[in-house]
Amino acid sequence: MKVFFHFVFRNVIRRPLRSFLCFFIALLTALVMIVCQTISQRVESALTDLEKNYPAVATITRRAVISPDGVKIPSSRYLTVDEAYPLSQSGSVKAWNITLPAGSLAQEELMGKLPDEEFLAEPPREVISVDDRVSVQAVNNLVLTEAFYSGESKIVEGRLFTSEEMRGGTRAIILSRNTARRYGLALGDKVTFDFENSGSFSLYRVVGIYESGKGTELCYIPLEDYFRDLCMLWPTGAHLDSVAARPDRVIRLDFLLTSPESGEVFIRDAQSLGFDLSAFDININDGAYFAVKDGLEGILLLSRIVFFSVLTVGTVILALIIWFFSSSGKNERTVLRVLGMKSAKISAMFASEYVLIMIAALSAALLSGGAVSDSALHFVERCALEEAVEEANAQEDLSERTNREIILKRKIHLSLIDGYEGLVGEVHAVSNHLEEGKIGVRREIFWSQSGAMTLLGMTDFAVDGFENTASFERDILSESGKLSGYYFRCYVPENSPYRVGEIIPLMPQKMGEALVFTGDLANGLYRGVLISSGLVVSGIYPPEAHIGEEFVLPMKELELMCEYLSISSEKYRSVRYD
Amino acid sequence: MIEVSNVTYDYPTKAGIVHALRGVDLKLEGGKLYAITGRSGSGKTTLLSLMAGLDTPTSGTVFVNGVDLAKTDQDRFRREQVGMIFQAYYLLPQLTAAENILLSYEIGKKKEKPDVNALLRAVGLTSFHGKKRSTQLSGGEQQRVAIARAIAADAPILLADEPTGNLDNENSRNIIAILKRLAHEKGKCVVVVTHSEEIAGEADVRYHMSDGRIEARD
Ligand SMILES: Nc1ncnc2c1ncn2[C@@H]1O[C@H](COP(=O)(O)OP(=O)(O)O)[C@@H](O)[C@H]1O
Ligand SMILES: [Mg+2]
């Protein structure tokens, strides 16, 4: 064995030309292969990284008509939340954001700073008028708003909304730095909104302050709170129109897709869900993604081609070198054979010489591979990727954004060395069904003998002024022994004419958009109504800031009631299952 | 010692089979110097390589000490019994002359390390030549190194293929003297293929080959 390696080493050293050629070619081949492999790996991981983290958003906006003189006129038809819900249930949707009009709070609305004390039943004495520079936008995914998505707005103090806050009830608000400065507001301060001087107000706590490149002064609140406060605070009956119209004037819907590859699935889902594509545009901002992906795949293909060509060419050259030098090995073989060496051993020896050279070349390649790959990566990045990314970003030219009815855009920052810089911030996942125990409200307008009244179903009674009526059972069928049918218990406001134990008869009839129940059988207006039902007053609640003048009953009761009276929930947008 | 019995050897070539040996019978003993003469292409080199166990005959048998060479461990036979000088020297170019001479020792053919300088001197070279690569040596010098390498093995059978082809008279005589001494004093069986009448004249036994056959013994 010693002799064997002695011979092998000696031959390798004593034939420098052959050894060097072999070493050089093998090293070169191995190096190029390592570099290509590294590039392929990086590109592959960049591709997965990009696919996993690229925030592809499908935006639904009103379809606009371009007038002959080139003016874009958005259709007067607004999206409604009803139209949006089915889409949010598409498997291709990870989260979504609804943008309600920024000016949805009226100009005269007030905003003021409160001392950090107990909730007051009275409006604050010192109120600061909200000037026309400040408006409120309700969002369910702040990160998916145009300003935050594009990176134009960034949180500078505090934080984004937490998932907890997004579920509503904690009333958090995020202000722009300018607004905060102007009103002397800091993190943790409480502000109030007075909605249309209704006398009801809500306290919001500042949890974050952002800075906007464009100097926007929007205040953001969680959509849940918007619904909860606005729906609850809004006077009933008379404001039926405004209640119905406001949350339904959805300017845009942004659906964060599970992957930029699932755009087609989303559109197919939208179609199969009966989404009216003639009235709305669906835009998906995956153009930049595909542009960059194309670039990456080009690099990947090229590096694979180079890998295999170099492997082939290197192998051929090495084979040629070995063949060329093998002629001189013939004599050596004869000499060694005469000296009694076994033929197999001689062959092994000759092979070992090349193996040794290859091992040396491979080791050298592996040792230097990291550094060489690094510079190669930089080179590829500079020469190929940067251009692709630039092109993709140019395609998504941020400066072109003139109105908010276009797709969300965000500059891509992708590096083979540092990876993909994803969307930072918390994007709240969508749960398509309301979580057990979380508050949700459903509003139905009914008519009783005395006029219109609003029934408010609530999933959770853990709200000031109510006892938890989870034990409230629907056990009052024929309770009175006088009326047959289903009866449902409710709380009535203090100022209503009803007293505890009283039965409010209801009968279903349609009138316009609202479902009308009436017990007014006397005038014979609603003949033929056979089903009788009613509400049993089980409690009276005091005037409360949170609730207007609704008749409150547990959500399950309201749902049963609607089912019993064949009121389809599709028809009535009153559910806010997020 | 060596008995070649009715041996033929064919080289299959593209142009057809070359009958290099067409039935050779020989009987060689230790302690004698044999000379084989013959024209180029008559089969001398082929015969030597068969006797060295580098090849096996197409037909017929080579017996060594009464044993069929084809049926024994030929590697071992060569290691233990044969020293060979090639017509084209076959020095390994990557090694120095001294290293070439030491090859047999390195491979384990010989137990004690041979005295390289003594061997070099014996073939008319100096230690100065020993340090050189074969490519830096003249044809004659290379031939003498090849002889020294074969002698270094100290094998009982020594086969020399035109060992003096490139040597001047003096050196030729010197080499022949060495070979003769090896045969007569050390009892080796020495076979020399040669063109030289002078060398052939020194041999104990002469053979002449022609067209793959031993023609005459004189
Ligand atoms: N490797 C070979 N392949 C084919 N033919 C060969 C080979 N070696 C020798 N020969 C042929 O065999 C014959 C005998 O060759 P050789 O033994 O070398 O003769 P000599 O040594 O007497 O010149 C010649 O005709 C030669 O051409
Ligand atoms: Mg010959």
Side-chain angles (χ1 to χ4, degrees):
Chain A
M1 221 45 185
K2 221 177 108 191
V3 177
F4 183 87
F5 283 112
H6 172 62
F7 272 63
V8 169
F9 278 112
R10 191 165 64 184
N11 273 357
V12 169
I13 293 163
R14 295 289 180 83
R15 289 179 158 156
L17 179 67
R18 182 194 67 166
S19 298
F20 174 74
L21 277 178
C22 283
F23 177 82
F24 183 71
I25 297 295
L27 175 67
L28 216 62
T29 309
L31 258 184
V32 174
M33 281 165 69
I34 288 172
V35 166
C36 287
Q37 187 57 23
T38 310
I39 291 175
S40 302
Q41 269 173 2
R42 289 293 182 94
V43 169
E44 271 172 355
S45 88
L47 273 170
T48 25
D49 205 21
L50 188 66
E51 190 191 334
K52 230 166 73 192
N53 297 317
Y54 180 90
V57 177
T59 300
I60 298 181
T61 52
R62 289 182 290 165
R63 172 154 293 183
V65 185
I66 310 284
S67 73
D69 43 339
V71 180
K72 208 170 160 191
I73 307 164
S75 117
S76 60
R77 166 108 147 76
Y78 275 91
L79 281 160
T80 67
V81 180
D82 262 3
E83 282 161 327
Y85 280 119
L87 259 182
S88 73
Q89 309 204 0
S90 156
S92 57
V93 171
K94 193 151 78 181
W96 62 300
N97 185 42
I98 181 170
T99 301
L100 296 175
S104 65
L105 296 182
Q107 291 272 305
E108 328 80 84
E109 279 157 14
L110 300 171
M111 177 173 145
K113 186 182 177 184
L114 272 187
D116 192 8
E117 55 186 45
E118 282 299 291
F119 187 84
L120 301 170
E122 295 284 318
R125 304 227 184 283
E126 293 172 59
V127 291
I128 306 163
S129 279
V130 174
D131 57 45
D132 51 8
R133 272 180 293 175
V134 179
S135 47
V136 179
Q137 198 164 61
V139 293
N140 55 345
N141 271 306
L142 186 55
V143 174
L144 293 186
T145 59
E146 185 197 356
F148 280 84
Y149 184 94
S150 64
E152 175 194 309
S153 292
K154 284 192 181 82
I155 295 283
V156 287
E157 270 180 66
R159 50 170 173 75
L160 293 162
F161 295 123
T162 61
S163 324
E164 195 55 48
E165 284 159 356
M166 291 311 299
R167 285 191 208 107
T170 51
R171 293 194 177 81
I173 189 165
I174 291 175
L175 308 174
S176 87
R177 182 174 262 177
N178 287 347
T179 312
R181 265 200 208 123
R182 195 135 31 86
Y183 298 112
L185 294 167
L187 287 183
D189 281 348
K190 284 177 178 171
V191 296
T192 58
F193 287 114
D194 186 346
F195 298 100
E196 287 201 347
N197 294 321
S198 64
S200 308
F201 58 93
S202 245
L203 274 178
Y204 281 79
R205 184 184 290 274
V206 180
V207 298
I209 292 171
Y210 72 91
E211 194 154 77
S212 156
K214 283 192 176 166
T216 332
E217 287 206 31
L218 284 172
C219 303
Y220 296 100
I221 59 170
L223 189 71
E224 285 300 320
D225 286 327
Y226 175 88
F227 276 127
R228 187 197 286 246
D229 286 346
L230 221 62
C231 291
M232 283 185 176
L233 291 169
W234 224 272
T236 56
H239 285 78
L240 183 61
D241 288 345
S242 55
V243 170
R246 290 205 165 203
D248 279 4
R249 275 174 74 104
V250 176
I251 290 182
R252 60 182 294 151
L253 282 162
D254 296 295
F255 294 90
L256 182 69
L257 303 183
T258 49
S259 141
E261 303 280 348
S262 49
E264 274 174 42
V265 179
F266 178 82
I267 290 174
R268 226 180 303 128
D269 282 355
Q271 281 169 327
S272 68
L273 284 167
F275 196 82
D276 184 6
L277 289 180
S278 65
F280 304 105
D281 286 325
I282 299 183
N283 286 301
I284 301 174
N285 67 352
D286 53 7
Y289 165 78
F290 282 112
V292 172
K293 188 187 173 189
D294 275 358
L296 282 173
E297 278 174 345
I299 296 171
L300 189 62
L301 182 69
L302 195 70
S303 74
R304 291 220 168 115
I305 289 173
V306 171
F307 181 93
F308 286 109
S309 346
V310 166
L311 178 63
T312 315
V313 171
T315 311
V316 167
I317 293 178
L318 275 177
L320 284 175
I321 292 174
I322 291 171
W323 174 78
F324 179 79
F325 284 100
S326 70
S327 54
S328 70
K330 233 172 166 182
N331 296 345
E332 190 170 345
R333 178 179 286 275
T334 314
V335 171
L336 293 177
R337 277 186 72 209
V338 169
L339 294 178
M341 214 182 241
K342 282 195 166 60
S343 244
K345 197 174 175 182
I346 297 169
S347 303
M349 220 168 72
F350 288 177
S352 296
E353 289 173 26
Y354 289 106
V355 169
L356 190 72
I357 295 168
M358 297 301 155
I359 288 174
L362 217 64
S363 311
L366 285 173
L367 280 178
S368 57
V372 177
S373 299
D374 251 21
S375 27
L377 276 174
H378 277 103
F379 179 78
V380 169
E381 182 148 322
R382 233 187 6 260
C383 293
L385 186 61
E386 268 177 20
E387 197 181 321
V389 170
E390 234 165 69
E391 251 168 51
N393 281 336
Q395 181 188 331
E396 305 273 313
D397 189 0
L398 300 183
S399 63
E400 267 181 30
R401 297 181 310 153
T402 48
N403 65 53
R404 66 174 76 165
E405 301 197 354
I406 57 167
I407 57 177
L408 292 183
K409 283 164 184 177
R410 180 180 176 77
K411 266 201 155 62
I412 292 178
H413 298 280
L414 177 67
S415 154
L416 292 178
I417 294 117
D418 306 324
Y420 173 72
E421 187 190 296
L423 183 67
V424 276
E426 194 175 351
V427 179
H428 301 280
V430 174
S431 65
N432 288 323
H433 299 282
L434 202 65
E435 272 178 71
E436 196 72 44
K438 296 298 173 205
I439 193 158
V441 293
R442 172 172 178 172
R443 187 179 293 263
E444 299 288 351
I445 310 298
F446 288 81
W447 288 78
S448 72
Q449 280 160 307
S450 54
M453 64 183 200
T454 306
L455 297 195
L456 180 70
M458 287 169 58
T459 53
D460 188 351
F461 268 35
V463 176
D464 290 346
F466 290 98
E467 283 176 32
N468 194 336
T469 50
S471 63
F472 192 94
E473 284 170 14
R474 194 173 49 81
D475 58 354
I476 54 169
L477 176 67
S478 304
E479 189 186 57
S480 66
K482 293 161 195 137
L483 291 159
S484 63
Y486 286 95
Y487 290 82
F488 305 88
R489 287 185 179 173
C490 71
Y491 281 82
V492 298
E494 198 175 43
N495 57 357
S496 79
Y498 302 103
R499 289 290 154 255
V500 175
E502 212 171 318
I503 292 173
I504 310 165
L506 298 169
M507 289 233 164
Q509 189 61 290
K510 282 183 183 174
M511 197 177 89
E513 277 291 295
L515 189 76
V516 176
F517 291 83
T518 178
D520 187 10
L521 295 168
N523 61 22
L525 197 62
Y526 307 117
R527 279 187 311 273
V529 175
L530 297 172
I531 303 165
S532 90
S533 183
L535 294 167
V536 177
V537 179
S538 68
I540 293 168
Y541 67 91
E544 226 305 317
H546 288 78
I547 308 290
E549 295 178 359
E550 288 106 343
F551 288 56
V552 181
L553 62 167
M555 181 67 89
K556 279 197 177 119
E557 292 294 304
L558 184 64
E559 280 170 356
L560 275 166
M561 187 172 155
C562 291
E563 194 183 318
Y564 177 60
L565 299 171
S566 306
I567 301 166
S568 71
S569 53
E570 290 155 25
K571 190 101 182 85
Y572 292 85
R573 187 218 60 75
S574 47
V575 198
R576 298 163 30 277
Y577 302 100
D578 33 315
Chain B
M1 194 161 208
I2 302 174
E3 190 180 340
V4 178
S5 166
N6 196 23
V7 160
T8 67
Y9 191 86
D10 300 335
Y11 286 106
T13 65
K14 271 180 202 155
I17 293 170
V18 175
H19 302 287
L21 297 179
R22 301 167 185 263
V24 174
D25 288 292
L26 268 183
K27 227 173 176 178
L28 308 174
E29 290 159 22
K32 280 186 179 166
L33 177 66
Y34 295 89
I36 300 174
T37 54
R39 260 197 264 143
S40 171
S42 56
K44 306 183 293 293
T45 301
T46 307
L47 180 59
L48 282 195
S49 70
L50 291 185
M51 291 197 291
L54 285 170
D55 262 316
T56 41
T58 307
S59 73
T61 323
V62 177
F63 293 101
V64 175
N65 297 328
V67 184
D68 184 353
L69 190 53
K71 289 177 183 146
T72 59
D73 180 349
Q74 294 184 34
D75 295 312
R76 192 172 154 193
F77 163 70
R78 288 194 302 270
R79 187 158 62 239
E80 291 174 356
Q81 313 262 347
V82 181
M84 192 159 181
I85 300 158
F86 298 94
Q87 193 173 358
Y89 333 135
Y90 287 179
L91 294 183
L92 304 192
Q94 73 269 31
L95 303 186
T96 62
E99 282 167 340
N100 264 292
I101 294 169
L102 279 174
L103 267 179
S104 56
Y105 164 72
E106 282 180 329
I107 287 173
K109 190 164 180 164
K110 208 162 179 301
K111 290 283 162 340
E112 319 106 53
K113 190 170 183 175
D115 184 345
V116 178
N117 286 336
L119 285 163
L120 282 169
R121 271 196 305 278
V123 293
L125 297 171
T126 61
S127 56
F128 168 76
H129 294 97
K131 289 184 198 116
K132 291 194 163 182
R133 295 281 182 90
S134 59
T135 44
Q136 295 166 312
L137 297 173
S138 72
E141 286 165 341
Q142 286 185 46
Q143 190 157 39
R144 281 179 277 167
V145 173
I147 293 164
R149 180 174 68 188
I151 296 170
D154 196 20
I157 299 166
L158 187 60
L159 307 171
D161 199 350
E162 300 188 20
T164 58
N166 263 309
L167 300 185
D168 53 55
N169 285 343
E170 193 193 330
N171 272 313
S172 293
R173 273 195 290 278
N174 180 22
I175 295 299
I176 289 308
I178 292 170
L179 296 179
K180 210 167 175 181
R181 218 173 321 123
L182 286 173
H184 295 161
E185 289 173 16
K186 299 217 168 163
K188 295 182 195 295
C189 172
V190 182
V191 183
V192 180
V193 167
T194 184
H195 288 296
S196 157
E197 273 304 315
E198 189 187 347
I199 290 172
E202 294 280 328
D204 299 313
V205 183
R206 284 182 67 166
Y207 290 106
H208 184 75
M209 276 195 85
S210 170
D211 199 17
R213 288 193 185 84
I214 297 286
E215 251 192 2
R217 180 180 171 170
D218 37 31

